[in-house]
Amino acid sequence: MKNIVSMRWLLARMYEPDVVIADCRFLLGQPEAGRQAYEAGHIPGAVYLDLEKDLSSPVSAHGGRHPLPDPAVLASRLSKAGIGSNSRIVAYDDQGGMNASRLWWLLRYIGHEQVYIMDEGFSAWQNAKFPVTQDVPVQIPSSFEVNVQPQMLASVEDAQQASASGSAVLIDSRDARRFAGLEEPIDAKAGHIPGAVNYFWKDVLDWDGRWTDTGVLEERFSKLDKDGAIIVYCGSGVSACPNVIALEEAGFSNVKLYSGSWSDWISYEENSVATGNAEADKDV
C-alpha cells in the first residue's frame, strides 16, 4: 500500500531527519480530549495537530461542521510545526485513521505527496511496547510551498449536479443507520444526498483495526467504474477521507472529496434529502 505504513516501518525511521510524525487524535464532542491524550503520552518527536483548531477553519453558515482551512493559513501552521516541503509526514490517531486521513487529504490537496498514515494507531503502538514520551519536541519552523490541487475537491454544486444527473457516483461514508436516516446524532436533518450509495468508512479496516490490503479494497469497490467520476462525502468531510485513500489504493483515479459533506448539504434549504436504502426514494 502506498499511503499506509506499519508501526514497525515508523519505528525503524522515526529519528530520520526528514520524518515528521503528526499526532491527530481527536474526539468529536470532546475537543480537548485529543490534546490531553497527547500530553499524557505520544510517539517521540510527534507534533500535535488539532482537528478543529489546525485542520479546519471556523464554522460559518455553509461549509459544514469542519470547513476546510485556508491553504495559506494551513501552510503557516504546518511550517510552525516543523513540517516543510521536503518532510515525510506520518500521521496517526486512535480513531481508526479517520483524523490522520484528514491531514493526509489536506496535505495532498495543498500539493504535498510525501504523507502516510500509520496503521493501527496509538493504542496499538503503546500495546506493542514501542517508545512513548510526554516530552514535547522543539518545533523548528520550516518552509512549506503551497500548490493547491483543485481537482481533488468537489463543491456543493458538483454534489447537486451528481445527485440530479448521475454525473458522478456519490459515496456516503457514514454508517448505514445514518445513511438511511434512521438516526442522526449530530446534524439537524437525517438522511443522505439523493442518489448516493453507502460505503461505511470503517469497512476499509479489518476486525483488528488494520487497513485491509489492496486486493480486498478492489473487491469492496468492484461495482464502481475505476475511471468514472466519484465524489465522496460523510458528515463533515473527515471520515470520508479514509474512503478517498482506500479508493486511491484500489486504483481509482477520479475521486473528489465533498469537504462540506452532509452538514453543508443540509445548510441549503433547496437541497432535497433521501431516506431509506432504496435508490427509488429520491425525495422526501
Side-chain angles (χ1 to χ4, degrees):
M1 299 183 83
K2 53 184 186 290
N3 299 299
I4 313 299
V5 297
S6 69
M7 296 191 300
R8 289 195 174 279
W9 185 97
L10 181 58
L11 183 69
R13 293 167 181 82
M14 57 194 286
Y15 297 112
E16 291 179 8
D18 63 333
V19 169
V20 180
I21 304 169
D23 185 319
C24 300
R25 284 177 286 173
F26 190 88
L27 293 176
L28 289 174
Q30 298 177 47
E32 297 306 313
R35 176 165 280 286
Q36 288 162 0
Y38 171 79
E39 287 167 358
H42 50 264
I43 297 177
V47 295
Y48 183 70
L49 292 174
D50 184 287
L51 173 65
E52 293 185 344
K53 293 183 182 134
D54 301 318
L55 308 183
S56 307
S57 61
V59 174
S60 57
H62 301 298
R65 284 181 280 108
H66 293 110
L68 287 189
D70 175 89
V73 172
L74 176 62
S76 161
R77 174 68 191 93
L78 295 171
S79 299
K80 286 195 181 93
I83 296 172
S85 293
N86 297 319
S87 302
R88 280 185 295 164
I89 299 124
V90 181
Y92 72 88
D93 59 33
D94 228 357
Q95 286 75 44
M98 174 176 88
N99 303 316
S101 296
R102 165 79 165 205
L103 176 61
W104 175 94
W105 189 90
L106 286 170
L107 281 161
R108 292 285 295 271
Y109 177 62
I110 60 174
H112 192 87
E113 292 283 322
Q114 295 256 61
V115 54
Y116 309 93
I117 310 288
M118 184 187 86
D119 205 0
E120 301 182 76
F122 182 75
S123 290
W125 175 277
Q126 206 169 20
N127 293 339
K129 304 285 190 284
F130 289 174
V132 170
T133 185
Q134 293 182 337
D135 295 343
V136 175
V138 175
Q139 296 176 12
I140 300 163
S142 197
S143 84
F144 193 99
E145 298 291 318
V146 173
N147 179 19
V148 173
Q149 305 294 308
Q151 77 282 0
M152 288 179 61
L153 185 64
S155 64
V156 66
E157 291 81 12
D158 295 330
Q160 286 165 336
Q161 189 182 358
S163 176
S165 71
S167 54
V169 173
L170 283 160
I171 288 182
D172 187 312
S173 307
R174 298 169 303 160
D175 71 69
R177 290 184 63 79
R178 285 181 74 192
F179 174 80
L182 296 172
E183 60 184 45
E184 182 44 68
I186 307 171
D187 292 310
K189 290 181 187 171
H192 58 265
I193 299 176
V197 290
N198 187 208
Y199 285 86
F200 183 32
W201 75 271
K202 276 194 177 165
D203 293 341
V204 306
L205 307 173
D206 66 16
W207 59 274
D208 237 357
R210 288 190 182 92
W211 285 71
T212 57
D213 64 34
T214 307
V216 177
L217 294 173
E218 284 180 358
E219 179 60 32
R220 179 172 184 246
F221 298 118
S222 60
K223 291 192 182 115
L224 305 172
D225 174 5
K226 277 201 171 168
D227 300 315
I230 294 174
I231 295 173
V232 188
Y233 76 93
C234 55
S236 67
V238 179
S239 67
C241 295
N243 263 341
V244 174
I245 294 175
L247 284 157
E248 182 174 301
E249 293 286 355
F252 289 79
S253 56
N254 186 1
V255 180
K256 295 184 192 317
L257 173 72
Y258 171 25
S259 63
S261 286
W262 181 246
S263 51
D264 177 61
W265 180 265
I266 59 172
S267 71
Y268 296 91
E269 280 303 316
E270 69 272 21
N271 283 344
S272 58
V273 166
T275 54
N277 286 320
E279 288 299 316
D281 44 31
K282 295 278 185 189
D283 294 296
V284 171

